[in-house]
Amino acid sequence: MNEKIKYSKGSLILPVRIDEFLYENFDNHYSVFYKRKGASLLNELCDKYGSDKGEIQKTGHPYSWPSHTYADFLERQFGPFRTFVKTVFECGLGSKNPSISSNMTASGKPGASLRVWRDYFPFAQVYGADIDKDALFNESRISTFHCDQTSSESIAKLWADIGDIQFDLMIDDGLHTFEAGVSLFVNSIHKLRDGGVYIIEDVIPSSLVSFAEFFTSKNYNYEFINLFRKDLRLGDNSLIVIRKF
Ligand SMILES: C[S@@+](CC[C@H](N)C(=O)[O-])C[C@H]1O[C@@H](n2cnc3c(N)ncnc32)[C@H](O)[C@@H]1O
C-alpha cells in the first residue's frame, strides 16, 4: 500500500478533530467501498416521492441541496429483509413551512419518505410524526400524528395515540439537534422491538461527540456511520444506528 492510499482516512469529510475523536474513542471500525450497480429501488422511490435520502436522477428534485446517500446504506441493511419489516416509524414528514426548523422549503413534498417506506416494505404499516400539523396526512398503510420531539409530554401523547405497537425500524429525521435527538430517543426507545433498528439521520460532526458521550454512558449498542460520496462533501451525511439485541 503506498503512502497516498495509507492516508486515505483523510478522505473522510470529517474535520480532523472529529476524525481523531473517532480513532481515539472507538475500538473498532470498518470501511465499505462500493460502486452502485444495477437497479436501486430505494433510490428510485426517493426520486419518485421527493425524499432527499437518496437519488438516481441528479436533477429534478423538489429540494435544492445534494441528496444524502442514506438509501445506499439502508438498502444494503434492509434489502434482504424487505418482506419481514412490518412496522416503521419516522419522525419528520418534510414540512413546506419556511418558519419551521428543518423544513424542506416551499417546494418540498410532505410525506415523501413515508411513501418510500410504504412502497419499499410491502407488508409494513408506516407511522409518522411531525411538529407541523399541516404536514400530517393518512393514506394506504400510512398514519401520521402530531408531535414535538423536544417535549416528553408530546412524545408520550404520540405513543398513547398510536397505541400498543412495537417497531422494527425507527428513524429520526426531525429537528436534528443533539437535544432533540436525545429527547426522542429516551422517550421512544421502549417502542423498538428486540432485534429492531433505530436510526438518527443528519448527525453533524459537532454533535457526534455529544451523542457518543450520551450513548456510551447509557451502554447502548450504537454505531456511527459516516457516508462518503466521491466529489461530494456533505457535512451532514452521517448516521447513528442503535441496534436492540
Ligand atoms: C428534513 S424534514 C423530513 C424529511 C422527510 N423525512 C423526507 O425524507 O422526506 C424534517 C422535518 O422535521 C420536522 N420537525 C422540526 N422540528 C420538529 C420537532 N421539534 N418535532 C417534530 N418534528 C420536527 C419539520 O417540520 C420537518 O418536517
Side-chain angles (χ1 to χ4, degrees), residues 13 25 62 73 76 111 114 151 154 181 183 190-191 195 203 212 237 240:
I13 53 171
N25 287 278
F73 171 76
R76 279 166 173 73
L114 276 74
S151 157
S154 183
S183 169
H190 64 286
K191 300 296 291 182
V203 178
N237 201 32
I240 290 178

Side-chain angles (χ1 to χ4, degrees), residues 112-179:
S113 54
L114 276 74
R115 295 182 176 110
V116 169
W117 303 131
R118 190 257 321 269
D119 289 10
Y120 191 68
F121 299 117
F123 303 122
Q125 291 292 329
V126 179
Y127 298 82
D130 203 284
I131 198 168
D132 180 4
K133 289 184 174 162
D134 292 335
L136 304 183
F137 68 102
N138 292 304
E139 58 185 46
S140 174
R141 290 196 287 118
I142 298 179
S143 310
T144 65
F145 301 81
H146 176 257
C147 177
D148 174 358
Q149 73 177 111
T150 65
S151 157
S152 304
E153 294 74 27
S154 183
I155 300 169
K157 181 172 184 314
L158 166 73
W159 297 132
D161 289 346
I162 288 183
D164 188 19
I165 292 171
Q166 293 271 296
F167 294 96
D168 297 317
L169 171 61
M170 301 179 80
I171 300 149
D172 178 357
D173 186 16
L175 185 54
H176 296 309
T177 64
F178 166 70
E179 292 76 15

